[in-house]
Amino acid sequence: AQRVTQPEKLLSVFKGAPVELKCNYSYSGSPELFWYVQYSRQRLQLLLRHISRESIKGFTADLNKGETSFHLKKPFAQEEDSAMYYCALLTHSQGGSEKLVFGKGTKLTVNP
Amino acid sequence: SAVISQKPSRDICQRGTSLTIQCQVDSQVTMMFWYRQQPGQSLTLIATANQGSEATYESGFVIDKFPISRPNLTFSTLTVSNMSPEDSSIYLCSVERPGQGNYNEQFFGPGTRLTVL
C-alpha cells in the first residue's frame, strides 16, 4: 500500500531551537519524496524534494530507505517557519500515471 | 512557476444542491489535478484532467458525483453534485509545470472552501 505517515499533528518549538518534522512512507517502488509547506493565508507550495538534495530556507531532508523515512530538519527554527508542513510521495501506476500521496500534515509553531 | 486562480474562494451551500468550481491557469498545461482536503485530513486526489480526454478518477471518486470539464489547456471545472455535509472540504486545483531546477513541480491554487449545511 502507498502511504505517508506524519506522526505529529502539532509541533511546537522555541525560536533558535532545532526542529525535526517526521515523515515515514510505505511504497513498493522507488520513492520520490517531497515536503510541501503552507504558510498562514497562503497556498500550498513546494519546499524541497529529495532528488535535488538542496537546503531551502535552512531546511534539509534526507531519504533513508532503510527506515523508509524522509524527516525534515532545521538546526535553528525561526518564527517565520511557523506553518503547516506536508510530506508527499510520488507514486506511479502500472498505466504510467503519476500521483502525489500526502501525509496528514504537521502544524509547526515556532514561539518567540 | 504557474499562477492559478480558483472561483469561488468559498461558498456555503444547501444539501442536495451542486456547486461548480473553476480553475484558471496563466499558461497552457497538459495535466490538471483536483484534490480534496477534508477537515483535519490530508489532501486526497480526486481526479486528473487532461485536455481532450475524459478525466481519470481515483478510487472512491466517481464522475456522477464529481463531473469535471477540461475545455482547453488553461481551464478546468469541478462540480460537486448533490451535496451533503460530508462534502464540506477545501477543494484544490493543481497543475504540473517546470519548477525548481530541471524538475517538474506541482503548483496549487488557493483552494475553494465549501461548507454544506
Side-chain angles (χ1 to χ4, degrees), chain A residues 39-56:
Chain A
Y39 301 102
S40 179
R41 293 190 172 81
Q42 294 187 29
R43 62 188 67 191
L44 191 65
Q45 58 185 288
L46 179 66
L47 178 63
L48 57 79
R49 59 201 304 162
H50 90 271
I51 284 180
S52 59
R53 294 180 171 271
E54 292 175 305
S55 172
I56 305 292

Side-chain angles (χ1 to χ4, degrees), chain A residues 83-99:
Chain A
M84 196 75 185
Y85 290 82
Y86 295 92
C87 184
L89 167 72
L90 185 67
T91 64
H92 302 265
S93 71
Q94 286 187 340
S97 64
E98 298 180 339
K99 74 169 185 178

Side-chain angles (χ1 to χ4, degrees), chain A residues 63-79:
Chain A
L63 176 61
N64 186 323
K65 291 186 179 180
E67 296 182 358
T68 60
S69 68
F70 188 57
H71 304 326
L72 184 67
K73 300 177 185 179
K74 184 169 182 176
F76 308 104
Q78 303 300 315
E79 289 180 69

Side-chain angles (χ1 to χ4, degrees), chain A residues 43 49 51 86 99 102-103, chain B residues 4 37 42 58 103-104 108:
Chain A
R43 62 188 67 191
R49 59 201 304 162
I51 284 180
Y86 295 92
K99 74 169 185 178
F102 285 85
Chain B
I4 307 170
Q37 186 176 24
S42 176
E58 296 297 310
Y103 305 109
N104 278 342
F108 287 83

